[in-house]
Each structure stands twice: as C-alpha cells, then as structure tokens.
Amino acid sequence: MKTPVKIAVTGAAGQISYSLLFRIASGELFGNDQPVILQLLEIPQALDNLQGIVMELEDCAYPLLDSISTSDEPNIAFQDVDYAFLIGARPRGPGMQRSDLIGTNAQIFAEQGQALNRVAHRNVKVLVCGNPANSNCMVTIANAPDIDPANFSAMTRLDHNRAVGMLARQCGVSASDVKHITVWGNHSNTQYPDLFHAKVKGQAATRLIDEHWMSDTFVPTIQNRGAEIIKIRGLSSAASAANAAIDHMKTWKNGTPHGDWVSMAVPSDGSYGITKGLVFSYPVTCQNGNYAIVQDLEINKFSLEMLKTSEAELLDEKKQVKNLL
C-alpha cells in the first residue's frame, strides 16, 4: 500500500463537502490503491455538525481512509497537506452576485494562504472553490509567497461541465462526444463559454447549432446557471460542484484526456492579452501534475469582447481586495 496522501478540506461540514468527502474516501479521486488522510477545517460553531460527518465516514469503513482529523485552526488542518480543497466561504444567497461576497470572503482566503505558506507541503496543489473563486484564489496566492503560484487554481470546471452537458443535449449525443469546450474568464455571470473551437463527434460544433441559439440561449444559460439553481432549489449547487472539484483535481493530477482540454482558472501569464497575475479561466492541458494554457487559438471579435468584459470584472475585484495582495 502506498504512503497516505494528506488532503485538507475547508468548509467541511457544508453541502459541497458532504458530497465530496465520501467520494475522496472511497478512492474515486486518487485510485483504489491510494490511502488518504482527511484534515478537515470548519468554523468553531460547525464543529459539532462536522463530527457527525466524521462518524458517517467512519461507519462506511472505507479501506483507503487512513485517518480523519478536525480543527478550527488552519495551521493544524493544513499541516503537511499534499492537496487542499478550499471550499469554505460565505455562500451566495438569492439575489446575490459573487462580487457581493468579495469583502467578506477575501479575508478568509488571505488567512488561509498565510497558513498554507507556513505549514503545507511545498508542492501542495490548492483548488479554490469558495466564491468569488478567481479573486479568492488571487488573494490566497499573494499570501503564500513561498509556494509556486502554479500550484493554485480556481474552479471553473462546474461551468465547463455545464457547457459540455448542454451542448451534448442540444446535439443529441453523449457528453463524451463533446471536445474542446472552453470557459474563459471569471467564475461569474461574465464568464464566456466558447463553442467556436468545440467539436461534436469530430465535427465543428458551430456547423451543428444555430448561431442565435449559441448567443441568445447557450451563453446566457451557462453564465446564469448557478443563480437559476439557487432560484429553483433555494440553495446553491452542491453535488454538481463537488463532482466538478473531483474532476478538476483528478485531471490536474492524472492529465487531460488525449486530444482534449479542460477549463481551469489559473494565474494569467499574459496569454490572449489578459492582465498578468489575474486568476483567469483558460483552456488548459494537464500532464504529470502540471497544467499548460492552450496557445494560439483564433479569437474572433465576439469572443474577444466577452474575454475583455470578464477581465474588466476581475480587475475591478482586484481593486476591492488590493489591501490583501
């Protein structure tokens, strides 16, 4: 049996984590020969609820679950971790935009970045899910100066999966038949789900769909899907978000499928004219635990305008958290 990997999960008593933790413990993320140690972080008033989840995990008798610890101290939860899922944040409620959360949540992620910098494994892989995820990730990076910024990313895989699923349904095919979807920009309603490079069973998606459906239905539906779920369900996405977090980290670790790419929000290196240092969602390929932004894609005028709109929102968010950078 391999040496256990240490995995931190914040907001561990929340809805997303409740869907996530059992899948990690079962071996779905790292394989059926990889033991895991769960190091769970919660706010003090949620520790009792978290203990109930710990009891459930214990009652599953997962062979790969080496041990579980809980804490309300980031320095304890992040000690020597190999992977970190930063999920805990104030959730978005009805009528709220992700930008409404930035003041409250950025401070949380600054403190967690500092703790990761102090005690985490130097090659820790950090996935920021708590919203506004892109800017929270940027704040976390700024407060962890001894860890490579390339070890941090924010999650747009849920948006990516939504886009894949919607295009597949429109074309009457399986999700596995859809390739080269890209979600650009911020994980907000300015994100841009791009079909201009997408393939459906090897054919250009733009040959199979109506242009008006793409601009008037597809793009706004994906941009506003999270808000629509909150409106209907009364709660934000949980199981689908947990699934996307699994997909994101698994792809980052194991690599992208041959001939395809995925969407990840990563520190911009200036690719496609986006301001360096912003955490911006790009098409990426992954190999050997590293990611690379897909280069030299043709960006038409419509797409460029969409990218610049999302970049402008991120620049505005950056101003709001400048004291934490």
Side-chain angles (χ1 to χ4, degrees):
M1 198 65 90
K2 297 178 180 178
T3 301
V5 295
K6 295 184 176 182
I7 305 164
V9 179
T10 75
Q15 287 191 94
I16 295 174
S17 295
Y18 190 75
S19 293
L20 177 71
L21 292 171
F22 296 87
R23 295 175 69 175
I24 294 175
S26 72
E28 183 175 345
L29 177 55
F30 294 111
N32 59 12
D33 63 345
Q34 179 57 68
V36 297
I37 294 171
L38 294 176
Q39 300 180 189
L40 309 181
L41 181 69
E42 257 300 356
I43 55 177
Q45 53 266 44
L47 286 176
D48 286 346
N49 287 340
L50 180 56
Q51 189 55 41
I53 296 173
V54 170
M55 292 167 68
E56 284 199 76
L57 284 163
E58 292 172 342
D59 291 348
C60 289
Y62 289 119
L64 296 172
L65 183 53
D66 183 274
S67 63
I68 314 171
S69 64
T70 65
S71 179
D72 59 2
E73 290 288 342
N75 288 333
I76 295 174
F78 294 153
Q79 184 68 52
D80 298 324
V81 292
D82 303 292
Y83 298 88
F85 292 84
L86 304 191
I87 296 171
R90 180 186 174 191
R92 185 169 64 133
M96 295 179 68
Q97 297 298 323
R98 284 174 173 80
S99 58
D100 298 330
L101 303 178
I102 194 164
T104 301
N105 286 335
Q107 184 63 46
I108 295 171
F109 286 84
E111 294 168 0
Q112 292 183 355
Q114 293 162 15
L116 286 163
N117 199 61
R118 284 191 293 267
V119 301
H121 191 283
R122 294 299 85 178
N123 199 35
V124 62
K125 283 185 168 45
V126 181
L127 171 58
V128 176
C129 301
N131 285 314
N134 295 54
S135 291
N136 286 339
C137 185
M138 180 174 59
V139 168
T140 308
I141 291 168
N143 285 273
D146 300 326
I147 301 174
D148 188 340
N151 287 18
F152 295 83
S153 61
M155 191 171 80
T156 51
R157 186 61 174 268
L158 177 53
D159 312 298
H160 180 99
N161 288 350
R162 287 167 171 165
V164 169
M166 187 173 179
L167 179 60
R169 292 191 297 274
Q170 181 68 14
C171 295
V173 301
S174 167
S176 62
D177 295 321
V178 175
K179 310 292 183 187
H180 292 172
I181 287 274
T182 304
V183 174
W184 301 88
N186 198 7
H187 176 58
S188 75
N189 61 8
T190 70
Q191 67 184 238
Y192 171 45
D194 179 4
L195 295 184
F196 284 106
H197 307 284
K199 303 284 187 182
V200 178
K201 289 190 170 182
Q203 290 184 272
T206 50
R207 294 182 179 179
L208 304 174
I209 57 173
D210 180 80
E211 182 179 340
H212 293 292
W213 176 84
M214 180 181 69
S215 61
D216 299 341
T217 301
F218 174 77
V219 170
T221 296
I222 300 304
Q223 289 177 328
N224 295 290
R225 184 71 161 186
E228 186 67 15
I229 288 172
I230 291 172
K231 180 180 177 181
I232 294 170
R233 185 172 176 258
L235 296 166
S236 59
S237 304
S240 57
N243 179 73
I246 292 278
D247 286 347
H248 180 117
M249 197 68 88
K250 185 186 292 186
T251 301
W252 197 359
K253 177 182 180 291
N254 296 333
T256 39
H258 179 71
D260 201 5
W261 62 61
V262 296
S263 303
M264 288 173 58
V266 300
S268 172
D269 60 359
S271 292
Y272 299 97
I274 301 303
T275 303
K276 289 184 179 181
L278 291 180
V279 174
F280 195 88
S281 186
Y282 286 103
V284 305
T285 56
C286 299
Q287 186 176 13
N288 300 322
N290 300 306
Y291 65 80
I293 297 170
V294 176
Q295 298 294 328
D296 301 323
L297 295 177
E298 183 179 345
I299 307 297
N300 60 28
K301 182 180 178 181
F302 174 79
S303 297
L304 182 60
E305 290 175 354
M306 299 292 283
L307 266 65
K308 287 301 181 181
T309 297
S310 206
E311 179 191 31
E313 181 181 53
L314 284 166
L315 287 169
D316 182 64
E317 290 183 9
K318 183 178 180 180
K319 291 178 183 177
Q320 296 178 59
V321 298
K322 62 182 180 181
N323 62 311
L324 298 172
L325 298 175

